[in-house]
Amino acid sequence: MIQQKTIETIAREHLQGTALTLVEVTVSEENDIEVIITREGGGVSIDDCVALSRHIESKLDRDKEDFSLMVGSAGI
């Protein structure tokens, strides 16, 4: 099982130095990963979500563990 702390670390690495903030990470026993981000003042774009999703996927190995990943904005 993929650890929540691992995903939090990967996400924070990507978000560092941006206006985006990590709100929540959940990982189910089936490796369904959900990452929620926000931007101060609102305005998280789909491109923000896609970029973070790609970053997280690049750090994980699907050959070792299969997973699903959803990155979204708080409040949506």
Side-chain angles (χ1 to χ4, degrees):
M1 186 171 131
I2 297 172
Q3 298 298 310
Q4 179 178 339
K5 283 286 188 193
T6 301
I7 302 303
E8 289 172 354
T9 300
I10 293 168
R12 283 192 176 105
E13 170 187 291
H14 177 77
L15 299 175
Q16 185 175 357
T18 72
L20 299 167
T21 304
L22 183 63
V23 174
E24 183 178 22
V25 172
T26 57
V27 181
S28 74
E29 290 183 18
E30 295 81 24
N31 282 337
D32 295 325
I33 303 165
E34 184 175 1
V35 179
I36 305 298
I37 58 175
T38 191
R39 179 188 307 270
E40 188 173 326
V44 174
S45 72
I46 189 72
D47 290 336
D48 295 327
C49 295
V50 169
L52 178 56
S53 178
R54 288 183 178 158
H55 178 77
I56 292 170
E57 285 190 32
S58 75
K59 301 292 184 176
L60 300 176
D61 186 353
R62 283 194 187 268
D63 291 333
K64 283 184 165 182
E65 283 190 283
D66 193 29
F67 60 90
S68 69
L69 175 61
M70 193 286 297
V71 176
S73 173
I76 295 180

